[in-house]
Amino acid sequence: MVWALRVPEAWGLFLPVGSQPTTSDETVVTGGTVVLKCQVEDPDDSSLQWSNPAQQTLYFGEKRALRDNRIQLEKSTPNELTISISDVVLSDEGEYTCSLFTMPVRTAKALVTVLGVPQKPQIFGHEQPIDEEKLARLTCRSSGSKPAAQLRWRKGNKELKEVVEDPNGKTFTVSSRVEFRVTKEDNEAEVTCTVDHESLQNAERSTTQKLQVHCTWGGGTAQGCVGKGMGDGRAPEFLWEKEGSDAPLQLSSDSVLIFPFLNKSDSGTYVCTATSSMGSVVAKYNLDVNASPVPSTSSTYHAVIGGVVAVIVFLLLSLLIVLGHYLIRHKGTYLTHEAKGSDDAPDADTAIINAEGGQAGGDDKKEYFI
């Protein structure tokens, strides 16, 4: 059972002026420490007490009343009661009461304001390169501020700001959108969004992003403005290199690197550096060769000719072997007869008679033809 005594307010007129406690309002950022000081000139042998916005007693004199290790006693005398609250959260915000238990009880209020620290801003809308002479629409967003933070752009000619309350109902998400037309000079330009808030204590919190612009060149487009011809009308130069190799592969105005004959050794990372009067851009390409080498047309043609010649040589050798074998098997013997005395015959008849007469006794002459 709780007993309450109501003292007429007129009694307070008889209390000395020095018996009125005094406090001051405090502002603290989340995660910080706030110090609450209550002082009285003439305590009149009475005790001081601190209580939170929920009217829970924190300290009565030097005695702790609420079990919260964040709340510590800093000083306790008849004329002063000072406490501190560390690791402050948003829910610690509110009116704290210092009470002097005289007759009647005198009180003083201290308003504690907790600032929500805004998060680092984020820029959206720069994920893809922007075409030259097109409108760039960028959005900057920061959440967690209390009260609502302010956003500033360092580039742009039009600003639109929105304030949206966070789901927790205590902090704010601020959003700012900017729109401007890009030119080739905006390539690699830095766009910065900065959040301003009293909790930052003059410390700047910002985010910077670089613009990527697609510039026209020769009827087409090229990222990073590498497609824009040089100031003297010359086309940009393209340098091809392979990572791990000292010597460059190709340096020309042609952006294409051709492999007439691929091998597995050609696998690797290739780097293309495009350079013009507007600057340079580097791109990397990975090449993975898994299939067997593909023969070229000239190699196939030479292989076919070599095969035909080999077949012809084989046929000629076979024909020579067959012909030689045939000649060896058909060698023969041929006889010729020369009639003796026919050389001295005056006419043909006499030569025949002489030949017939001497045929029997003549020696045979043999001639062999192979």
Side-chain angles (χ1 to χ4, degrees):
M1 181 177 294
V2 179
W3 295 91
L5 296 178
R6 184 175 182 84
V7 179
E9 295 181 1
W11 286 22
L13 299 175
F14 299 99
L15 293 176
V17 177
S19 298
Q20 177 64 39
T22 59
T23 60
S24 60
D25 296 339
E26 302 292 339
T27 300
V28 61
V29 299
T30 54
T33 300
V34 62
V35 177
L36 300 177
K37 180 185 294 187
C38 179
Q39 294 177 313
V40 61
E41 293 182 5
D42 184 8
D44 194 21
D45 296 329
S46 299
S47 298
L48 293 172
Q49 170 188 290
W50 273 111
S51 57
N52 62 14
Q55 296 304 312
Q56 297 172 314
T57 301
L58 305 179
Y59 269 91
F60 183 78
E62 60 182 9
K63 295 181 180 179
R64 180 194 296 269
L66 185 65
R67 293 184 178 179
D68 189 340
N69 293 330
R70 300 180 307 131
I71 304 174
Q72 297 294 327
L73 177 65
E74 299 294 333
K75 186 177 181 180
S76 177
T77 66
N79 301 89
E80 180 181 336
L81 179 61
T82 301
I83 63 174
S84 64
I85 305 175
S86 59
D87 297 327
V88 173
V89 295
L90 292 173
S91 59
D92 291 327
E93 186 175 78
E95 279 189 342
Y96 289 75
T97 304
C98 176
S99 303
L100 176 64
F101 285 89
T102 57
M103 189 64 70
V105 177
R106 291 202 168 189
T107 60
K109 302 290 186 180
L111 176 61
V112 174
T113 302
V114 181
L115 302 179
V117 181
Q119 297 180 1
K120 185 176 182 179
Q122 294 179 303
I123 298 178
F124 305 93
H126 66 280
E127 293 82 2
Q128 299 296 330
I130 308 169
D131 292 337
E132 184 182 3
E133 301 300 333
K134 297 294 184 180
L135 286 178
R137 295 179 176 89
L138 304 178
T139 301
C140 180
R141 184 175 296 119
S142 175
S143 59
S145 61
K146 179 184 171 295
Q150 300 292 324
L151 295 177
R152 292 183 292 109
W153 289 95
R154 291 185 184 175
K155 183 177 180 60
N157 51 21
K158 184 179 180 181
E159 182 177 341
L160 175 65
K161 181 172 58 182
E162 295 177 349
V163 178
V164 181
E165 190 172 354
D166 280 347
N168 60 21
K170 293 182 177 297
T171 60
F172 295 88
T173 295
V174 292
S175 178
S176 176
R177 286 195 290 267
V178 68
E179 181 178 292
F180 57 93
R181 192 173 302 276
V182 299
T183 62
K184 61 178 179 295
E185 287 77 14
D186 291 326
N187 185 57
E188 297 296 326
E190 293 184 349
V191 178
T192 302
C193 176
T194 303
V195 57
D196 294 328
H197 197 262
E198 54 185 309
S199 65
L200 300 177
Q201 299 178 354
N202 298 325
E204 185 175 281
R205 181 167 292 183
S206 60
T207 297
T208 300
Q209 293 291 344
K210 287 186 176 181
L211 292 178
Q212 295 292 331
V213 181
H214 266 161
C215 294
T216 58
W217 173 59
T221 60
Q223 183 176 347
C225 282
V226 298
K228 202 72 175 178
M230 295 185 178
D232 53 4
R234 292 182 294 129
E237 290 183 339
F238 298 89
L239 173 63
W240 281 98
E241 297 174 294
K242 183 180 180 182
E243 289 187 351
S245 178
D246 296 333
L249 302 177
Q250 177 178 297
L251 176 60
S252 67
S253 59
D254 189 1
S255 62
V256 180
L257 180 63
I258 300 177
F259 295 83
F261 187 72
L262 275 178
N263 285 309
K264 289 187 177 180
S265 60
D266 293 323
S267 299
T269 301
Y270 292 82
V271 181
C272 175
T273 304
T275 305
S276 73
S277 59
M278 300 302 299
S280 62
V281 176
V282 178
K284 292 187 177 182
Y285 303 89
N286 292 323
L287 177 62
D288 187 10
V289 182
N290 294 320
S292 300
V294 180
S296 62
T297 305
S298 59
S299 299
T300 304
Y301 178 73
H302 293 159
V304 171
I305 293 178
V308 172
V309 172
V311 171
I312 293 176
V313 171
F314 175 78
L315 292 177
L316 290 176
L317 291 176
S318 300
L319 182 60
L320 290 176
I321 293 173
V322 172
L323 182 59
H325 184 69
Y326 176 81
L327 292 178
I328 292 174
R329 292 186 52 129
H330 291 80
K331 73 177 179 178
T333 302
Y334 299 91
L335 301 178
T336 60
H337 303 282
E338 295 181 2
K340 293 181 179 181
S342 59
D343 295 336
D344 298 332
D347 51 30
D349 294 337
T350 304
I352 293 174
I353 295 173
N354 292 337
E356 290 177 353
Q359 183 177 2
D363 296 330
D364 294 337
K365 293 183 180 180
K366 299 181 179 180
E367 293 181 2
Y368 298 90
F369 297 93
I370 297 176

